[in-house]
Amino acid sequence: MTTTPRRALVTGGSGDIGSAIAHALAAQGHHVIVHANARLQRAEAVAAAIRAGGGSAEAVAFDVAAGASVAAALERLLEAGPIGIVVNNAGIHDDAPMAGMNDAQWHRVIDVSLHGFFHVTRPLLLPMSRQRWGRIVSVSSVAAVLGNRGQVNYAAAKAALHGATKSLAREMASRGISANVVAPGLVEGTMLGDQFDAAQVKALVPAGRAGTPAEVAAVVAFLCSDAAGYVNGQVIGVNGGMG
């Protein structure tokens, strides 16, 4: 897989999947901007590890749900040149059955995953258009496809990314810009945590195991490559056959 080195922003880049994506993009030769919300030191650690491995990276922190903060941060980043790749990976869980879900649980999950996608992606579109090249990848979840008890807010936020991405792909394809979704299933790491034991994973996943962050990152990296230019408006599951 060949691709031209570019600047790549990975939101939620300090988590398990986000850091794997950051490393995968750095391995393609991109300069990676590793984003965190409040824990800048975690993003700094990921960026430092990339640099230690011979890659190029920096860290940045802002709340993707706060439009004004995002706009100010991106304005500063764009002063150094266009950002050709954006991976909207930031997302949070705040699980509860809908009958017992409070307003804050609903709104914060929607704010981070859906409004964050809008706040981060919109300012990058015109600079991408001027370059006649861009890659937008949003990380969703199998919950957006199948649903999941206790995650009405999370499934709603992630499923909304599917429709938004398909529409955005139609708007931007003529300018050499693709927009796609990667929807992981059960993936090893802190987000999976201790929610499922080995027997539960085997029962839920036809492959009989949880995926790895690297397996998700490999698909994202392909979608961000020059070779994937004709893949557009797609929702690609990385879920071991769950659906």
Side-chain angles (χ1 to χ4, degrees):
M1 180 170 57
T2 60
T3 193
T4 302
R6 291 178 169 91
R7 298 173 77 220
L9 171 63
V10 181
T11 69
S14 61
D16 297 310
I17 293 176
S19 62
I21 292 169
H23 278 278
L25 292 176
Q28 289 184 335
H30 301 303
H31 174 77
V32 182
I33 303 161
V34 184
H35 162 269
N37 178 16
R39 300 177 181 176
L40 180 59
Q41 67 275 16
R42 292 179 60 184
E44 289 280 14
V46 175
I50 289 172
R51 292 192 297 269
S56 178
E58 64 183 289
V60 65
F62 54 83
D63 182 356
V64 298
S69 297
V70 177
L74 292 182
E75 184 177 1
R76 290 192 296 271
L77 290 170
L78 287 169
E79 288 174 357
I83 294 171
I85 296 167
V86 59
V87 180
N88 293 296
N89 177 65
I92 60 170
H93 288 275
D94 198 346
D95 298 349
M98 188 169 178
M101 185 177 291
N102 61 44
D103 284 2
Q105 288 175 301
W106 174 265
H107 286 289
R108 183 59 181 168
V109 171
I110 299 290
D111 282 347
V112 173
S113 284
L114 183 57
H115 297 162
F117 158 83
F118 175 75
H119 293 152
V120 171
T121 306
R122 181 181 60 171
L124 304 180
L125 295 176
L126 289 181
M128 285 182 184
S129 292
R130 287 191 285 269
Q131 297 293 311
R132 307 296 291 184
W133 195 96
R135 297 288 185 267
I136 302 157
V137 179
S138 296
V139 179
S140 175
S141 168
V142 70
V145 179
L146 301 179
N148 197 26
R149 292 168 62 101
Q151 292 190 330
V152 171
N153 50 358
Y154 184 73
K158 294 301 190 181
L161 291 178
H162 299 186
T165 295
K166 288 176 181 291
S167 297
L168 183 59
R170 288 181 176 272
E171 292 178 359
M172 306 305 296
S174 66
R175 296 168 176 82
I177 298 168
S178 68
N180 293 288
V181 171
V182 172
L186 301 183
V187 176
E188 296 171 357
T190 54
M191 290 290 277
L192 183 62
D194 298 322
Q195 296 181 65
F196 303 96
D197 60 29
Q200 289 173 310
V201 170
K202 191 169 183 177
L204 288 168
V205 184
R209 65 173 178 86
T212 67
E215 288 173 315
V216 178
V219 178
V220 174
F222 169 69
L223 292 173
C224 293
S225 72
D226 290 326
Y230 206 57
V231 182
N232 209 349
Q234 303 304 302
V235 177
I236 300 174
V238 185
N239 57 44
M242 289 180 71

